[in-house]
Amino acid sequence: MKTMLIGLAMLAVPQLAGAQALECRAPGAIPRIRPDLPSASQPTRIVPIGSYTLAITWSPQYCRNPKGDSRFQCATGNRFGFTLHGLWPDGEGKEWPQYCKPTAILPAAVVRRHMCATPSAQLMQHEWAKHGTCMPGYSPARYFQQSNALYHALRFPDMKALSRRDGLTAGDLASAVASANRGMSADMMRVTATRDGWLDEIWICLNKAFRYTRCPAHQGGLQPNAPIKIWRGGR
């Protein structure tokens, strides 16, 4: 029922919801998934959870220089605006938990169900292995259900209009996104960009109850007055 209500809301306000999946058909078969394991540079780290980050990626920019298993996202006729990168548990300080326990390959049914939000099976495996395993009591199905509920609840401003605005700053973009979402303010997200100043991702800060909250100063991102450009791709 909740999914149906979200879908109806998206239809009712296309100018706000249209920056998510613009056109997507879930694949009949998913690519082969490799295990995602801790390493010397990305070791197991178990620390208490203090908050969460919901990370979303601007797909037109990603598809300018795609990497990994990007065909479904960038070369099959599907069209995306913001895609779901992942839901990340943060620590109580600057360190965050990661790779908290060994995990099997994700069930194909779980991957297929969420491919139109996170259009990469390998990325989903990575997100569950690195981040989801650190959330006590969560299974893959519950982890992706939680992250997708948060993602689909987001509303977005007219990204095409913003991309044409002269002198756009990261603060302008954050304020526009916040204005589209009840209970959100510009200081509750971090905007990231490529080295050339093109929008890459938005990181939305959440408390332990998954409600929007002010981001910690150490989390990074662009300064509000930093200029930013938005790539529209073929849109």
Side-chain angles (χ1 to χ4, degrees), residues 56-67 70 73-74 80-83 159 192-202 228-235:
I56 56 175
T57 302
W58 182 237
S59 183
Q61 176 61 38
Y62 171 81
C63 288
R64 291 180 77 181
N65 299 289
K67 49 190 176 292
S70 58
Q73 181 173 353
C74 304
F80 299 92
F82 280 106
T83 58
M159 296 296 290
T192 73
T194 67
R195 292 181 180 180
D196 296 330
W198 294 95
L199 171 63
D200 180 23
E201 294 197 326
I202 296 178
I228 194 167
K229 300 172 287 187
I230 301 173
W231 179 256
R232 295 192 304 277
R235 298 174 59 199

Side-chain angles (χ1 to χ4, degrees), residues 38-152:
S39 65
S41 60
Q42 292 289 324
T44 294
R45 184 165 55 230
I46 300 175
V47 298
I49 295 173
S51 58
Y52 292 90
T53 296
L54 185 71
I56 56 175
T57 302
W58 182 237
S59 183
Q61 176 61 38
Y62 171 81
C63 288
R64 291 180 77 181
N65 299 289
K67 49 190 176 292
D69 61 335
S70 58
R71 185 173 181 274
F72 176 75
Q73 181 173 353
C74 304
T76 57
N78 294 316
R79 296 190 305 133
F80 299 92
F82 280 106
T83 58
L84 173 60
H85 183 158
L87 177 63
W88 306 337
D90 297 313
E92 295 176 341
K94 292 185 178 181
E95 289 196 331
W96 59 88
Q98 61 181 23
Y99 292 108
C100 291
K101 60 184 179 183
T103 185
I105 298 297
L106 289 172
V110 171
V111 173
R112 191 176 297 110
R113 186 176 304 125
H114 300 295
M115 282 284 282
C116 284
T118 303
S120 165
Q122 191 61 48
L123 176 58
M124 275 192 260
Q125 180 72 27
H126 171 76
E127 293 303 300
W128 165 245
K130 183 175 181 178
H131 304 291
T133 60
C134 297
M135 295 170 63
Y138 274 71
S139 63
R142 184 183 177 192
Y143 172 72
F144 289 107
Q145 183 179 37
Q146 179 67 62
S147 62
N148 275 258
L150 293 165
Y151 164 74
H152 285 298

